[in-house]
Amino acid sequence: MLDKLVVFLLQFVELFRFWVVIDPYEAGVLLRLGRFVRVLECGFHLKYPFHIDVVPTARTVPSTHSLGNESVTTKDGRAVGFHAVVTYRVSNIQKAILEVDDVDHAVRDAVAGEIGRVLRSKLWSELADEETYTEITAACRRRGWRYGIEIMAVPQTGLP
């Protein structure tokens, strides 16, 4: 019973908070009554209380994710297995927060899709070429920019 009273009091006090602190590894967007106002960088910022202003934040430092093992069939009909680890960071916080539901899932889907698309268009003998890796990375970067994400590296293992 006492714990519910404490939770209620904390929520009540939160209604009156008129500031937000954004950490150095984050950025945020200021939404006033559900509409975008501006991007907020790290630091102390004033805001209207009573949930008139809301400040969702996201990490902007580099992060890595493993895509797991994937397989695809090349243009000449040979099965290829690969494993990719993507390194990315949020470069456009407004897009990443307001236009994407989950940045991690968007990155994984974009990278896996682009790797698969590029590998399906190649012959088995072309997979070891440096040009293939360059094409994969470029395609992943183009796809990431749509979501406000900078794809920094997409190293693959398991390819010839």
Side-chain angles (χ1 to χ4, degrees), residues 94-112:
Q94 183 179 353
K95 273 187 180 182
I97 288 180
L98 301 179
E99 297 178 20
V100 178
D101 182 37
D102 185 339
V103 171
D104 293 337
H105 285 102
V107 167
R108 289 178 186 149
D109 291 346
V111 171

Side-chain angles (χ1 to χ4, degrees), residues 34-109:
R35 292 182 182 237
F36 172 77
V37 177
R38 69 178 182 272
V39 171
L40 300 177
E41 299 297 327
C42 68
F44 179 85
H45 302 278
L46 296 176
K47 68 179 188 105
Y48 290 126
F50 306 113
H51 295 290
I52 292 171
D53 283 350
V54 178
V55 182
T57 62
R59 292 178 174 263
T60 56
V61 294
S63 180
T64 60
H65 285 291
S66 173
L67 295 180
N69 295 322
E70 302 282 338
S71 62
V72 68
T73 304
T74 60
K75 190 160 92 173
D76 54 354
R78 297 185 70 175
V80 176
F82 67 93
H83 179 91
V85 177
V86 61
T87 303
Y88 72 94
R89 72 176 195 85
V90 173
S91 60
N92 185 331
I93 194 71
Q94 183 179 353
K95 273 187 180 182
I97 288 180
L98 301 179
E99 297 178 20
V100 178
D101 182 37
D102 185 339
V103 171
D104 293 337
H105 285 102
V107 167
R108 289 178 186 149
D109 291 346

